[in-house]
Amino acid sequence: GAGVSQSPSNKVTEKGKDVELRCDPISGHTALYWYRQSLGQGLEFLIYFQGNSAPDKSGLPSDRFSAERTGGSVSTLTIQRTQQEDSAVYLCASSFAGTPNTEAFFGQGTRLTVV
Amino acid sequence: GQNIDQPTEMTATEGAIVQINCTYQTSGFNGLFWYQQHAGEAPTFLSYNVLDGLEEKGRFSSFLSRSKGYSYLLLKELQMKDSASYLCAVSLSYNTDKLIFGTGTRLQVFP
C-alpha cells in the first residue's frame, strides 16, 4: 500500500499474555519508529530502527518489550506478560533517514487493551 | 534528558488567529516538526523548520529560533475542523533522525 500499515487495529488481551504488533512501513523508507500514546497524552518514544538495526532502544519501558525489523521493512513490537499499564495506542511511523526535511508518516495505530 | 514543552490546551474562535508555542531543550537538533492529530487518528505532518525564521504554508505558518530553543505554529482564519491536538517534535540528529515529541496542545475552536 501507499501508507504505513499497522495490524491489528485493535487488540484486547488478558493480563499476562504476550502480544505482537506489526508495522509495514512505506516502501523504501529506511527509518522506522515505534511510539506509544496513552489516552490524552503525547507520543512516548519507544524504539527507532535504521534499516534492520536499532541504534536507539532507550525508550523501551521494560525488558518485557522488544522489537525487531527484518529485510529493512516489516517490524514487530512484542510485549511479553502484558500488564494493564501497557494499555495504549501503539503508533508506528516511517521516513527516509539521513536527509533534511524527512517527515515521518504515521500508521493508524494499534489500540491495545489489557484486561 | 530531552525536554519539549507546549501548553496543554488552548481555545479560540472561528475566523481568529492562534499561536501555539513550543520550547525545547535537547541534546541535539536537526529540525523541528509540527504535526496535527485529530482525536482517534494518526498524526499528520504540517510543517518543518531547520533554519531560523518563518515558513508559511497557506493558513499555517511556523517559526523557529534556534538560539532561543523556541518555535511557534500560527494558524490563521481558524475553522472548526482545526480543532485537534498540535504536536511539536524535534529531530535530534542528522544521522539518526530520532524524533522526540512534546505532549501536544489540544486546540478547541468555537463558533
Side-chain angles (χ1 to χ4, degrees), chain A:
Chain A
V4 178
S5 176
Q6 291 187 246
S7 61
S9 54
N10 278 286
K11 176 72 177 178
V12 180
T13 189
E14 290 181 355
K15 179 181 171 181
K17 301 276 189 180
D18 298 351
V19 295
E20 278 191 359
L21 313 180
R22 177 187 168 105
C23 173
D24 279 278
I26 292 172
S27 178
H29 279 188
T30 53
L32 187 148
Y33 310 80
W34 283 99
Y35 293 90
R36 178 167 72 173
Q37 188 172 35
S38 301
L39 188 63
Q41 301 298 309
L43 274 67
E44 176 189 2
F45 172 82
L46 297 179
I47 189 169
Y48 159 84
F49 286 94
Q50 173 68 280
N52 289 336
S53 64
D56 193 333
K57 303 180 183 179
S58 62
L60 294 177
S62 75
D63 58 9
R64 296 186 296 105
F65 287 71
S66 62
E68 64 174 16
R69 189 180 185 195
T70 54
S73 181
V74 172
S75 176
T76 303
L77 177 69
T78 302
I79 309 173
Q80 296 177 309
R81 305 181 302 281
T82 51
Q83 304 294 313
Q84 288 186 328
E85 61 262 28
D86 299 335
S87 296
V89 175
Y90 289 81
L91 287 163
C92 173
S94 70
S95 70
F96 287 112
T99 57
N101 199 13
T102 53
E103 64 185 270
F105 293 85
F106 283 84
Q108 292 299 307
T110 294
R111 182 177 299 278
L112 175 66
T113 305
V114 182
V115 297

Side-chain angles (χ1 to χ4, degrees), chain A residues 33 35 37 48 56 98 102 104, chain B residues 35 37 42 94 96-99:
Chain A
Y33 310 80
Y35 293 90
Q37 188 172 35
Y48 159 84
D56 193 333
T102 53
Chain B
Y35 282 80
Q37 187 178 26
Y94 179 83
T96 67
D97 260 355
K98 179 175 177 178
L99 266 182

Side-chain angles (χ1 to χ4, degrees), chain B residues 10-23:
Chain B
M10 298 183 72
T11 59
T13 307
E14 197 173 14
I17 299 173
V18 71
Q19 177 175 312
I20 302 174
N21 296 325
C22 171
T23 57

